[in-house]
Amino acid sequence: MTINEDITTTLREKYGLMMGVEDAAKELQLAINTVNNMCQRRDLAAIKTKRKWLIPTQSIIDYLIDHLTLPPEKNPLPVHTIVNGRRKLIV
């Protein structure tokens, strides 16, 4: 099984067809506000229902696959590591 198939299978089993902003933020390792902004800017395909965004799981899968295949210097997702029990941004 390739990484793409593994990501697809795992997320679809975990969330089904749609997920909320909180779940998407957790999977993308981003802040909830950042994911909300990504939905507003249409960086992620999403549907707004009243005051909440619903994000198709496939949109998160596509975003992860696109950004996992980029070289690190072109990848817009922040990379973190744990140093002395604290999360540190790798630049």
Side-chain angles (χ1 to χ4, degrees):
M1 186 178 289
T2 66
I3 292 175
N4 295 357
E5 291 169 345
D6 189 39
I7 290 170
T8 301
T9 303
T10 302
L11 290 179
R12 285 210 177 120
E13 286 175 357
K14 194 171 182 180
Y15 299 107
L17 294 177
M18 303 290 269
M19 68 174 74
V21 171
E22 295 83 6
D23 293 329
K26 186 172 98 177
E27 293 301 331
L28 295 173
Q29 297 180 357
L30 297 171
I32 292 171
N33 286 340
T34 302
V35 176
N36 272 321
N37 291 337
M38 291 170 74
C39 292
Q40 289 173 345
R41 290 190 315 259
R42 302 288 188 238
D43 293 340
L44 291 173
I47 302 163
K48 191 158 191 179
T49 59
K50 295 192 181 182
R51 299 183 64 162
K52 294 191 177 211
W53 288 101
L54 287 176
I55 304 167
T57 303
Q58 188 61 47
S59 179
I60 300 300
I61 292 167
D62 293 342
Y63 192 87
L64 285 171
I65 290 170
D66 288 347
H67 290 85
L68 286 175
T69 57
L70 288 175
E73 63 275 1
K74 293 186 178 183
N75 190 340
L77 291 177
V79 179
H80 293 88
T81 187
I82 304 297
V83 178
N84 296 330
R86 303 189 96 176
R87 193 171 175 178
K88 181 180 177 182
L89 179 66
I90 299 173
V91 183

